[in-house]
Amino acid sequence: MRHFVSATSTLFLSFIGTSDAFLFGPTRNPRSHTHLYQTHHEVEDYREGIHGSRNTKDEGVTEVVMKFGGSSLADATRVDHVANLIKDQIQEGYRPRAVVCSAMGKTTNALLAAGDFALDGKVCLDATRELHMQTMDEFKISDSTREEVNALLKECENMLTGVSLIQELSPKSLDQLVSYGERCSVRIMAERLNQIGVPAKAFDAWDVGIVTDSDFGDAKLLPESSGLVRRAFESLDPNVVAVVTGFIGHSPEAKITTLGRGGSDLTATQIGAAMDLDEIQCWKDVDGILSTDPRLVKAAVPVKHVTFQEASELSYFGASVLHPIAMQPAMQSNVPVRVKNSYNPSAEGTIISNAKTATNLVTALTFKRDVKVLDIYSTKMLGAYGFLARVFGDFEKHKLSVDVLASSEVSVSLTLDKKQKMDSIRELVKDMSPYADVTLTERRSILTLIADVKRSSEVLATVFQVFAELGISVKMMSQGASKVNISFILRDDQLDTAVQELHKCFFEGNCIVNTVSPYVEMMKEETV
């Protein structure tokens, strides 16, 4: 651990007063690390004395981190669009201290497929190489950047050759394999920004302080990452955009790790929170968080504001929103996150923050299809404590995750989503048979309303009137401990109609029953 911290300190030294970061690279003499690290801070303290604090912000400038996913960077056309979008945002008064990029398009999937081919003895990187070569040709990328990207692709190819020979692809190797997508992406994006007049430099995430544990495939940020990120960016020219790899980091042993689901969003929120920026912008392919899935309800509308807690619940129950883990740094540091549409930059998007400002009865509707319901009845009259302890002990044993739960002293009803394997469920039922009767019901859906639960009576009055009108019976109902969601378990074949009709009631002013949402009344008044 001492060697890692010292090496990182050496890397930070090369930031001083230049955008040519890591010009010298890490020294291999451990004794020199501490001296260089101290020298770095002495120089920084001297500069602060001359120029004042580096944390002061220019008036009228909004400092942000901007994150772009793979669909926003699908090809040369999209990369060019995003580069010009960043330039436009700068002209509108934003200062992107960092731009976090995912791999281009479907590169991650292509690399995973290449890994599978390598296990079969075939080394093929054609799809990934062709995408990046075409993009670089389109932009007439400089020889230096082209050499960097080619070197990364060659390194990836050599790795795949090794996999084909030893016939092994461990989680650690997979993390290194998929990292090449992000590492190529940032180098191309940084060059394109420079070409259009935006000073930029590419960085691998570990070069700006993203350090994790060694849980390959699902690594967690280490607590010291915040301080490392802050010190790295303090040494960078704020007018030079740092184009940073999302999704990946370094373990304390300097091995490449990946951050799991929502990893690029987590990179962005960690940087934004560590630097206490004004806003974290996650650019996606929708106009922010919508009132429901637009594929099911064409009249779905963007939601202007949700709390971090509401956004977490939306994510848990199927909405395409930032993963709850990805939001944690921003939530803890109280830095707002804005979800924007890279295909429609003029759209206001959705702000996620700790503040509760919404006044409408229902914030959004989300759902999960094809879930299973387990009804578990105690046969041994164990009492609530003993019964529930045994139930949850068996769920832990089989590593089964529950979405929605309702319980009484001697019975529990709960849902399992389609990711849970039937073999594990059968083993669970077998283990519970000595003390419980278990009924499994399939082809059910969870419909969740993110709502002001303090006004749950108003919400439920409308919901049950609509369900009665439509002949929909509720298998189970649960109000989450978060106090922002109410969930209903319905038959799969009734879900679409239920969502469409409830959306009409709460958002469109066209309810099939005579209960009118205050939100709809407010919208009517604004229209008039």
Side-chain angles (χ1 to χ4, degrees), residues 282 366 380 410 481 503:
C282 290
T366 187
K380 297 297 184 181
V410 292
H503 192 275

Side-chain angles (χ1 to χ4, degrees), residues 274-438:
M275 296 172 64
D276 192 26
L277 298 183
D278 297 306
E279 190 172 280
I280 298 160
Q281 297 180 349
C282 290
W283 292 79
K284 299 182 177 291
D285 55 3
V286 291
D287 288 345
I289 297 172
L290 302 182
S291 53
T292 195
D293 191 333
R295 293 169 296 185
L296 179 57
V297 179
K298 291 182 179 179
V301 295
V303 179
K304 290 185 178 181
H305 180 270
V306 298
T307 64
F308 284 112
Q309 202 169 49
E310 289 171 333
S312 295
E313 294 293 332
L314 282 166
S315 177
Y316 280 130
F317 290 104
S320 181
V321 187
L322 275 69
H323 191 273
I325 291 175
M327 288 185 281
Q328 284 181 359
M331 180 168 55
Q332 291 166 1
S333 299
N334 198 25
V335 177
V337 178
R338 188 184 296 271
V339 182
K340 296 266 289 179
N341 189 352
S342 65
Y343 290 82
N344 182 22
S346 61
E348 183 180 354
T350 302
I351 281 285
I352 308 172
S353 73
N354 283 318
K356 177 67 177 175
T357 61
T359 57
N360 41 305
L361 200 57
V362 173
T363 300
L365 292 83
T366 187
F367 51 84
K368 274 189 180 182
R369 301 181 188 273
D370 194 22
V371 302
K372 300 173 180 63
V373 178
L374 285 182
D375 293 312
I376 306 165
Y377 304 92
S378 172
T379 58
K380 297 297 184 181
M381 301 304 291
L382 296 171
Y385 177 79
F387 174 57
L388 292 176
R390 292 191 66 174
V391 167
F392 290 118
D394 283 335
F395 270 86
E396 182 180 12
K397 173 184 174 182
H398 294 283
K399 300 187 185 306
L400 290 167
S401 178
V402 174
D403 282 325
V404 176
L405 179 146
S407 68
S408 68
E409 186 174 6
V410 292
S411 68
V412 180
S413 294
L414 47 82
T415 65
L416 302 168
D417 67 25
K418 57 187 176 184
K419 292 182 291 187
Q420 314 296 328
K421 296 178 181 178
M422 272 305 302
D423 287 346
S424 298
I425 296 173
R426 291 191 188 97
E427 288 298 315
L428 170 75
V429 173
K430 182 179 178 181
D431 283 353
M432 290 193 295
S433 61
Y435 66 88
D437 289 331
V438 183

